Amino acid sequence: MLVCIIAVILILNAGLRTSGADYEHYLDMFKHPDYFSNGVEYSYIFLSKRMHTFTELLMLYAAIAVSMKIFVIQKNVLLPNLSILIYYTHFYFLHEMIQSRAGVASGFMFLMLFFVIKKMHKPAFICYLLSVVFHYSFFFCGFILLLSTKKVYVKLYSMLFFVAILKYILNVSIIDILLGVTSGPLYQRLGAYQFVSSQGSYEEIKIVNFIFFVQIVILCVALCMIFKKKYLLSRFRIYFIKRNYRLLILCTNIYFLGLIIYMLLAEIPAMAFRLSEICFAVEIFLIPYFYYLFKDKFVAKIALSTYSALIFVLYQVILT
């Protein structure tokens, strides 16, 4: 019951907003859908033409995004309350309050993750297609369908991580290569990212920063948990059932690739932030595993709640 109340509050808060970052841009697209038809997903144009008011459209997007994420969390996660907290502090304000299209797309991506670990390939692929329908950037998420749920390819990812660092240090350009091998909506999206970055809408990426350091720590802890599987199974056998262990591995694979993408595309901040942000969204499922690393559960709750609060404050500073 409490979760339902929380979901309703989140939906109303996002759907009834009347200002904020990207609000005017979304409003312009709603008022002039045909003008923006070449650069915006058809789903947004289609729905805009069928909603009577802009608030109705925002409510629809918020209802789909929030309800889908809460549903997935409630049905599939070890500690749903903690996952909901992380969702709110880390991603709600970015997705549901600013990037409404990405919010719905990420909801389908979350559902896709659980079809992947259950090896239900057709539903997973359908969810992938639906995520792309709501936001073209999620075309990139197709790689998730190919990831292993049994092991993390640490050697391969470490090599790619080193290449990404080297590319960043040497300032090697990758955008021209990507534009040369793509076409259609994907080419337009890449061009848009390049244009936005050139206008200074995003700050230049500096690899050495607090959030990146925190993400490295999260990855290292997740890897340690995977490598210490026998210890964890003996200590928390009731929690680490097979399905949940596969989710830990899948999310760690995605998270590792997110860090690589962040550095690899650093020359295009708009694209680097958007694509890595898609990968980092799995923190909603990944961080609750850390709860079981603490012997004292009260300390675990305090530690993870404090972490969530700090990230929330930091993100609010960044977004404003």
Side-chain angles (χ1 to χ4, degrees):
M1 184 64 181
L2 178 60
V3 172
C4 291
I5 294 174
I6 291 173
V8 170
I9 292 173
L10 294 179
I11 291 170
L12 292 175
N13 186 48
L16 296 177
R17 70 186 188 275
T18 57
S19 62
D22 278 5
Y23 179 87
E24 294 297 330
H25 179 59
Y26 270 78
L27 182 58
D28 285 342
M29 290 192 295
F30 173 78
K31 290 179 177 178
H32 312 287
D34 293 326
Y35 177 79
F36 290 94
S37 59
N38 290 330
V40 179
E41 297 79 15
Y42 179 72
S43 59
Y44 189 85
I45 304 301
F46 177 83
L47 292 172
S48 293
K49 292 181 177 180
R50 281 153 183 81
M51 296 292 111
H52 295 95
T53 65
F54 184 51
T55 298
E56 287 182 10
L57 182 65
L58 290 181
M59 283 293 293
L60 177 63
Y61 270 78
I64 296 172
V66 174
S67 59
M68 190 180 304
K69 289 170 183 173
I70 296 294
F71 172 79
V72 171
I73 288 171
Q74 283 292 109
K75 292 293 183 179
N76 298 278
V77 179
L78 288 171
L79 295 169
N81 292 340
L82 182 55
S83 285
I84 291 173
L85 174 63
I86 294 168
Y87 159 56
Y88 177 75
T89 57
H90 288 49
F91 302 102
Y92 171 77
F93 285 89
L94 179 60
H95 285 174
E96 276 61 76
M97 296 295 289
I98 299 177
Q99 304 169 355
S100 298
R101 287 142 49 223
V104 174
S106 60
F108 282 111
M109 187 196 79
F110 287 175
L111 193 55
M112 178 181 71
L113 294 180
F114 291 95
F115 284 131
V116 169
I117 64 175
K118 295 174 183 176
K119 298 184 178 180
M120 299 173 66
H121 304 299
K122 289 184 179 179
F125 186 68
I126 291 173
C127 287
Y128 164 65
L129 291 179
L130 288 171
S131 70
V132 177
V133 166
F134 278 93
H135 206 293
Y136 291 146
S137 297
F138 282 73
F139 174 83
F140 155 81
C141 287
F143 79 90
I144 294 175
L145 298 170
L146 306 175
L147 292 178
S148 173
T149 58
K150 296 181 178 180
K151 64 179 294 186
V152 179
Y153 298 101
V154 178
K155 291 183 179 179
L156 174 61
Y157 295 161
S158 297
M159 181 182 71
L160 292 174
F161 191 80
F162 175 76
V163 170
I165 292 176
L166 197 61
K167 179 261 174 196
Y168 177 80
I169 294 173
L170 298 177
N171 197 28
V172 177
S173 176
I174 197 173
I175 185 62
D176 293 333
I177 298 174
L178 293 175
L179 289 172
V181 297
T182 56
S183 61
L186 188 58
Y187 179 87
Q188 293 177 351
R189 181 61 58 181
L190 289 171
Y193 281 135
Q194 186 182 38
F195 175 77
V196 170
S197 297
S198 67
Q199 297 300 304
S201 299
Y202 287 78
E203 293 184 7
E204 181 183 352
I205 288 180
K206 296 179 181 179
I207 295 299
V208 181
N209 62 71
F210 177 73
I211 292 180
F212 188 73
F213 172 76
V214 170
Q215 290 166 337
I216 291 290
V217 172
I218 290 173
L219 174 64
C220 291
V221 174
L223 289 173
C224 288
M225 292 184 73
I226 291 171
F227 293 146
K228 293 291 185 178
K229 177 184 176 182
K230 292 183 179 179
Y231 167 74
L232 291 170
L233 286 174
S234 63
R235 187 174 173 190
F236 310 115
R237 189 177 302 278
I238 189 172
Y239 300 107
F240 280 81
I241 57 177
K242 190 174 183 180
R243 188 188 69 188
N244 285 318
Y245 188 69
R246 289 202 299 266
L247 177 61
L248 172 61
I249 292 177
L250 179 61
C251 288
T252 303
N253 274 312
I254 296 170
Y255 204 80
F256 208 149
L257 287 171
L259 289 169
I260 294 169
I261 290 164
Y262 180 75
M263 290 188 296
L264 205 58
L265 300 176
E267 67 183 281
I268 324 164
M271 189 175 181
F273 282 122
R274 174 54 60 83
L275 298 188
S276 62
E277 158 204 317
I278 293 172
C279 295
F280 296 148
V282 299
E283 284 184 9
I284 293 172
F285 310 112
L286 194 59
I287 292 177
Y289 282 97
F290 300 173
Y291 175 86
Y292 299 106
L293 294 176
F294 294 85
K295 291 183 179 180
D296 189 319
K297 300 312 173 191
F298 177 75
V299 173
K301 292 177 182 178
I302 295 298
L304 294 177
S305 297
T306 301
Y307 161 75
S308 297
L310 289 173
I311 294 298
F312 172 75
V313 172
L314 185 59
Y315 280 170
Q316 290 305 302
V317 171
I318 293 174
L319 292 174
T320 55

